[in-house]
Amino acid sequence: MHAKIHRAKITACHLDYMGSLTIDPIWMEQVGLLPLEEIQVVNVTNANRFVTYAIPGTRGEGQIEPNGACAHLCKVGDIVIIYAMKSVPRENVIDSGHLAKVLIFGADGTPELLHQHLSTNGEQFSFDSQPVDLPERESIAA
């Protein structure tokens, strides 16, 4: 996993659309998620899961909007987890570690950005999460 948006709320569902999940581009940038990147979505509210791709919405609007067939699996207000994976040679992770960016939404909708580090000394792995300050103008609540 390299990017994750954790416990965001669905803001709209669009059945008559060709597919995808619309996400506020501020949040995409904060976790390093690219437009058209494959994402996996877990609906915490009803346990539905689906795979689709990310498209940027309107900057600062706080959109999390399933489009097309996946809109049948959510309703406005549902809580979702969105994450993206990337392939990294195992040797690279063993040699250099790995960084994942995670945007976590609290119960009040306020986001917190974490950098999750996987480090190694060649023999043992260690894992930690460190909060990262969000720029005031780029921090929007869900």
Side-chain angles (χ1 to χ4, degrees):
M1 184 205 55
H2 80 92
K4 182 178 181 184
I5 298 173
H6 189 81
R7 297 191 62 83
K9 285 187 182 178
I10 298 293
T11 57
C13 297
H14 305 284
L15 294 173
D16 297 322
Y17 195 85
M18 68 178 105
S20 69
L21 183 77
T22 303
I23 303 172
D24 190 299
I26 292 173
W27 297 337
M28 291 177 66
E29 292 163 10
Q30 288 171 338
V31 298
L33 191 59
L34 299 174
L36 305 180
E37 185 169 357
E38 181 180 289
I39 54 175
Q40 297 184 43
V41 182
V42 178
N43 188 323
V44 175
T45 305
N46 64 25
N48 285 322
R49 301 173 75 96
F50 56 92
V51 176
T52 188
Y53 57 96
I55 60 170
T58 303
R59 189 172 197 80
E61 296 271 326
Q63 296 166 289
I64 300 289
E65 301 177 356
N67 303 306
C70 64
H72 287 283
L73 303 174
C74 302
K75 67 181 187 322
V76 172
D78 283 359
I79 302 294
V80 294
I81 299 169
I82 304 157
Y83 59 97
M85 310 296 266
K86 72 177 180 180
S87 294
V88 179
R90 184 177 172 85
E91 297 75 31
N92 290 11
V93 174
I94 291 169
D95 292 341
S96 305
H98 178 68
L99 171 70
K101 295 178 181 178
V102 180
L103 192 64
I104 299 176
F105 288 91
D108 65 354
T110 302
E112 177 184 18
L113 183 63
L114 298 178
H115 283 181
Q116 295 184 328
H117 298 266
L118 177 63
S119 304
T120 179
N121 65 8
E123 297 175 18
Q124 292 186 331
F125 288 97
S126 62
F127 177 77
D128 67 46
S129 293
Q130 297 294 320
V132 177
D133 289 333
L134 291 170
E136 196 64 35
R137 63 180 179 76
E138 294 287 296
S139 179
I140 56 174

